[in-house]
Amino acid sequence: MTAKKKAHLLGFVQHGVNSHATGMWRHPKDKINWDWTKPAYWQHMARTMERGLFDAMFIADELAPYNNWEGSSDATVKYAVQCPVHEPSTIVPIITTATKHLGVGVTLSTAFEHPYSMVRRLSSLDHLSSGRVAWNVVSSYSKSEWDAYGADMTARSGRYERMEEYMELCYQLWDSWSPDAIIADRESGIYADISKVKEVHFDGEFFRSHGRSFVAPSPQGRPVLWQAGSSDRGRDFAAKHAEAIFAVHPNVDRMREYSDDLTNRLETRFNRKPGSVKKIYGVQTVVGLTRSEAQEKYERIRECIPLEGALAWISGHFGPDFSKYKLDDIVQNIEIPGIQGLFDSIIYAKGGAPVTVKEAALIYAEGMGMPRLIGTPKDIADQLEHFLDEGGADGFMLAATYTPGCFEEFADLVVPELQRRGRFRTEYAGPTLRENLLQH
Ligand SMILES: Cc1cc2nc3c(=O)[nH]c(=O)nc-3n(C[C@H](O)[C@H](O)[C@H](O)COP(=O)(O)O)c2cc1C
């Protein structure tokens, strides 16, 4: 008999006041006596996730407030739709000094930063965390980001082409120092063996770089590479480069389809083994000691959503200004330039039945289109097991509701249930994030 697959777990947040459940900052249980702009909050969040033996805290990011709804960022700012959001890599050392094992996935965009400084920043963080950093590679899909940086937005295909070259230069820089390049021989005065620190000479279509990387080899060599692209091109990029992917699918059939597609791409296009990329699916959980308690909690969470904020969010993520549509227009008929993979989660939110603009906004605002698991620890564990066995999931990205409470509840109530069923680790596999993520 083959052993049961164990889940990986990550806590999905932003370095901001409100992440992926719109209006949660209004909830009476959100951040009671905590200030999200201060280290103590992040240290507590990190220790909570480590207590629950999570693989990592995963920090999503955007570079500017969405400005698609009514052609302005007014509603985004007014309703705290993922705004304000502070720079994500600044909290990585705070999280990793408060913990020993917990990893941190940090979303950093390739759009406006040269690969040379990206490598330097990520490798520095990998050193400071003793090898616990993952990079969620994104290319800035949102118009507001390009507006804020005063640049013309490039089309999806152009962004992927540029990102391919970006990665190529990053790999050369990461690989340029041999792991044994540093001798540090006081006698001779030789610190590094220059024959083991290659000069990079890169002249690409988008980037040029000449010189040596400035960073000594970090514990993981390079951060764990993470990706969430979901268009055809995005899936290829993930299948080629990623060690873990993050996807959102509203039901187990869509998970299975995605999983089969990824496995097929790995094998047929990139000569990688099936299973060499961990498939981490987003879920939102609302746990109670009884079903009615959980349902009651869920209703409280939904009450926090402001409709206009929700509409501003779908406009930001999917691209069109939804104020130009009627609330009862059907979203399936609308062409979107934004995050296709997340839009699919809305299209299939009612099993393929028509979804109106208003429904789409309200469903999405609950937790970015993720399946909502509401119930007792046993109910939630049942669902997670189903996704592991039938959906091809290797683990789950847990979308925050009220914080830090939602992660405390998951760690205290659901983790022990998963452990009892042999579906979750009882100790970390090793000191680095890669070791823990690759653990079966
Ligand atoms: C589940 C999920 C999470 C994502 N999180 C982020 C994020 O935090 N920041 C970001 O800039 N893009 C994020 N993206 C966008 C993707 O990285 C990608 O750039 C975008 O989906 C466009 O590529 P695609 O058309 O191939 O999907 C996310 C996408 C998905 C599906």
Side-chain angles (χ1 to χ4, degrees):
M1 209 178 81
T2 50
K4 286 187 207 165
K5 201 200 283 180
K6 286 193 170 72
H8 293 270
L9 289 176
L10 294 101
F12 189 44
V13 296
Q14 278 186 290
H15 184 190
V17 66
N18 201 101
S19 38
H20 301 88
T22 312
M24 282 315 298
W25 64 274
R26 309 164 68 190
H27 194 285
K29 281 191 174 174
D30 192 57
K31 302 185 187 68
I32 309 162
N33 296 327
W34 291 107
D35 179 350
W36 68 270
T37 67
K38 295 288 179 284
Y41 168 75
W42 294 104
Q43 287 160 345
H44 178 77
M45 290 273 278
R47 289 187 189 116
T48 303
M49 290 182 197
E50 186 164 82
R51 178 157 63 77
L53 300 175
F54 286 28
D55 292 69
M57 187 187 303
F58 192 94
I59 311 167
D61 195 45
E62 298 285 332
L63 299 175
Y66 307 113
N67 63 2
N68 309 55
W69 171 258
E70 295 181 338
S72 142
S73 59
D74 284 358
T76 304
V77 175
K78 185 170 169 187
Y79 297 110
V81 181
Q82 300 187 300
C83 177
V85 172
H86 295 182
E87 204 285 327
S89 66
T90 49
I91 51 171
V92 173
I94 290 168
I95 292 163
T96 56
T97 45
T99 51
K100 274 205 174 71
H101 298 280
L102 187 77
V104 189
V106 59
T107 301
L108 294 169
S109 174
T110 56
F112 310 107
E113 182 163 356
H114 194 279
Y116 191 86
S117 61
M118 181 67 84
V119 162
R120 190 178 186 212
R121 178 143 57 125
L122 283 163
S123 295
S124 301
L125 292 172
D126 201 48
H127 276 289
L128 288 168
S129 66
S130 304
R132 290 189 275 146
V133 169
W135 175 26
N136 181 29
V137 188
V138 300
S139 60
S140 293
Y141 65 86
S142 162
K143 178 182 158 301
S144 61
E145 301 174 281
W146 297 80
D147 288 348
Y149 281 76
D152 292 330
M153 187 166 182
T154 43
R156 183 183 276 133
S157 61
R159 292 204 305 276
Y160 276 113
E161 249 165 64
R162 187 177 170 280
M163 211 150 67
E164 280 294 341
E165 193 179 301
Y166 199 105
M167 296 310 296
E168 183 50 40
L169 177 49
C170 287
Y171 293 139
Q172 289 195 21
L173 289 164
W174 276 316
D175 295 344
S176 65
W177 284 68
S178 292
D180 58 351
I182 295 176
I183 310 161
D185 181 14
R186 285 171 195 267
E187 193 89 348
S188 64
I190 294 175
Y191 184 74
D193 177 348
I194 52 165
S195 70
K196 294 184 173 166
V197 188
K198 277 196 265 168
E199 291 242 6
V200 168
H201 290 287
F202 192 93
D203 285 293
E205 191 186 338
F206 305 98
F207 302 101
R208 290 199 297 165
S209 181
H210 293 270
R212 288 188 158 108
S213 171
F214 216 3
V215 201
S218 73
Q220 293 188 114
R222 60 175 78 154
V224 171
L225 295 178
W226 211 291
Q227 234 277 316
S230 42
S231 60
D232 183 52
R233 193 72 205 265
R235 289 180 185 207
D236 268 354
F237 184 89
K240 181 173 171 189
H241 298 280
E243 293 165 87
I245 55 95
F246 173 26
V248 170
H249 297 290
N251 59 49
V252 77
D253 295 335
R254 300 285 303 165
M255 289 177 191
R256 166 55 58 201
E257 256 175 58
Y258 175 84
S259 173
D260 291 346
D261 178 67
L262 190 79
T263 303
N264 181 40
R265 284 172 202 259
L266 286 173
E267 282 183 311
T268 59
R269 299 193 188 174
F270 300 104
N271 201 18
R272 294 179 70 187
K273 283 202 211 98
S276 54
V277 178
K278 294 287 179 197
K279 287 158 283 169
I280 308 296
Y281 295 146
V283 294
Q284 187 181 50
T285 63
V286 182
V287 58
L289 293 177
T290 62
R291 284 185 184 166
S292 60
E293 186 198 323
Q295 195 59 36
E296 171 85 4
K297 274 189 187 176
Y298 172 60
E299 298 304 333
R300 283 279 116 76
I301 289 168
R302 269 164 42 125
E303 281 164 14
C304 294
I305 301 171
L307 178 60
E308 199 186 352
L311 289 160
W313 196 24
I314 58 168
S315 299
H317 265 193
F318 305 143
D321 174 358
F322 280 97
S323 70
K324 299 216 161 86
Y325 294 87
K326 291 203 240 17
L327 285 181
D328 56 4
D329 279 348
I330 302 302
V331 291
Q332 274 91 344
N333 302 331
I334 301 172
E335 183 80 11
I336 67 121
I339 309 181
Q340 187 65 51
L342 293 175
F343 192 59
D344 286 351
S345 74
I346 291 303
I347 289 182
Y348 296 99
K350 288 167 66 182
V355 176
T356 67
V357 167
K358 183 177 175 185
E359 286 173 327
L362 292 177
I363 294 169
Y364 200 71
E366 286 182 27
M368 213 172 77
M370 297 182 189
R372 289 169 298 280
L373 315 183
I374 303 156
T376 64
K378 283 193 167 53
D379 294 333
I380 290 173
D382 286 347
Q383 282 289 303
L384 296 179
E385 284 200 87
H386 183 52
F387 296 158
L388 288 168
D389 294 338
E390 307 302 329
D394 296 306
F396 304 100
M397 190 73 80
L398 305 174
T401 54
Y402 46 81
T403 58
C406 68
F407 295 116
E408 292 167 344
E409 290 168 7
F410 195 95
D412 292 338
L413 299 172
V414 185
V415 164
E417 182 60 33
L418 289 170
Q419 287 169 329
R420 267 193 290 279
R421 299 178 184 202
R423 291 300 200 157
F424 191 59
R425 62 165 64 96
T426 51
E427 58 182 4
Y428 284 104
T432 67
L433 174 56
R434 189 169 281 117
E435 282 163 275
N436 290 313
L437 197 67
L438 295 182
Q439 187 184 16
H440 290 297

